């Protein structure tokens, strides 16, 4: 008789039970995080930029494409983010934006709840913000940034997000005006509940 030695003290049936139960334990652990920063009832948005940033947000609202207040967000459907902002810099005619996506979940290794980045493989890097928001130039002074956010082209990324979870979008904007050094002009974090 040929026996395969197991380096563990488990019997094969016990090991099989552990392997079959692992996904259920993992789902239980990851779903145990509460919604952070009040995201169970409203979006939480703030600046993540430096003091040199020239775009600041004064207020913001979320709505569906018909203008009806929206919360939580369904990422597979378009929604509108309206930001009342202020531009303390020059007029911007060419802006590139990059987006990072995080999900608030419990680590299966540490058991702690934290923001975990979802890989986008560069798909959300250097997006033409003027085309996306369709409201350039961004003039010096009061500024209304009204963005229809349609993530349907990114269904592969959306499918990696859990339903009824808290997600965080980090939006970094850079100046691509002619003659610029492509410096950052704004960075914003939006934390929200998704369905």
């Amino acid at each position: 008789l040929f026996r395969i030695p197991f380096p563990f003290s488990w019997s094969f049936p016990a090991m099989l039970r552990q392997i079959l139960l692992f996904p259920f334990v993992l789902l239980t652990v990851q779903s145990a995080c509460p919604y952070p920063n009040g995201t169970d009832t409203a979006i939480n948005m703030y600046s993540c930029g430096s003091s040199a940033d020239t775009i600041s947000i004064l207020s913001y609202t979320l709505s569906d494409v018909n203008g009806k207040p929206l919360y939580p967000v369904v990422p597979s459907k378009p929604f509108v983010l309206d930001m009342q902002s202020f531009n303390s810099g020059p007029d911007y005619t060419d802006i590139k934006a990059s987006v990072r996506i995080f999900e608030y979940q419990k680590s299966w290794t540490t058991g702690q709840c934290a923001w975990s980045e979802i890989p986008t493989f560069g798909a959300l890097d250097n997006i033409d913000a003027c085309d996306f928001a369709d409201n350039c130039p961004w003039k010096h002074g009061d500024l209304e940034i009204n963005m229809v956010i349609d993530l349907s082209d990114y269904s592969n990324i959306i499918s990696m997000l859990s339903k009824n979870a808290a997600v965080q979008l980090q939006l970094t904007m850079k100046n691509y005006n002619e003659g610029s050094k492509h410096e950052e002009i704004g960075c914003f974090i939006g934390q929200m509940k998704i369905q």
Side-chain angles (χ1 to χ4, degrees):
L1 239 182
F2 179 72
R3 272 182 95 180
I4 300 174
F6 285 101
F8 309 105
S9 61
W10 297 344
S11 67
F12 183 73
M15 186 169 58
L16 184 61
R17 235 184 348 263
Q18 293 291 330
I19 291 169
L20 293 175
L21 287 176
F22 180 74
F24 298 107
V25 171
L26 184 61
L27 285 174
T28 302
V29 167
Q30 288 191 346
S31 65
C33 288
Y35 290 102
N37 307 321
T39 54
D40 54 329
T41 59
I43 185 173
N44 179 42
M45 199 161 188
Y46 58 92
S47 173
C48 55
S50 73
S51 59
D53 286 359
T54 57
I55 305 293
S56 57
I57 295 177
L58 306 174
S59 65
Y60 53 86
T61 59
L62 277 177
S63 63
D64 64 17
V65 292
N66 298 315
K68 181 180 172 190
L70 174 73
Y71 201 80
V73 171
V74 179
S76 60
K77 296 181 180 176
F79 60 96
V80 178
L81 175 61
D82 185 25
M83 297 184 291
Q84 301 302 316
S85 308
F86 188 79
N87 176 7
S88 61
D91 293 356
Y92 295 110
T93 57
D94 191 0
I95 303 164
K96 299 285 189 268
S98 294
V99 179
R100 295 172 63 198
I101 300 175
F102 301 80
E103 184 172 332
Y104 196 69
Q105 56 190 346
K106 190 172 277 193
S107 167
W108 64 273
T109 56
T110 67
Q112 300 296 313
C113 293
W115 293 106
S116 177
E117 188 164 7
I118 304 298
T120 60
F121 307 104
L124 301 177
D125 292 347
N126 294 317
I127 298 167
D128 188 324
C130 290
D131 283 348
F132 189 80
D134 194 29
N135 64 352
C136 281
W138 289 4
K139 300 239 180 232
H140 176 84
D142 289 332
L143 181 64
E144 182 172 350
I145 303 172
N146 190 301
M147 292 188 285
V148 176
I149 300 175
D150 184 354
L151 301 174
S152 59
D153 288 343
Y154 306 103
S155 59
N156 290 338
I157 296 169
I158 300 299
S159 68
M160 290 190 272
L161 300 172
S162 302
K163 293 202 183 275
N164 297 313
V167 298
Q168 173 176 286
L169 303 178
Q170 179 180 329
L171 172 66
T172 304
M173 296 176 292
K174 293 187 176 182
N175 175 12
Y176 270 69
N177 283 355
E178 190 173 323
S180 74
K181 295 178 182 173
H182 302 165
E183 67 276 5
E184 180 179 303
I185 59 172
C187 179
F188 307 103
I189 299 271
Q191 299 172 337
M192 64 198 79
K193 179 179 178 179
I194 62 167
Q195 288 186 326

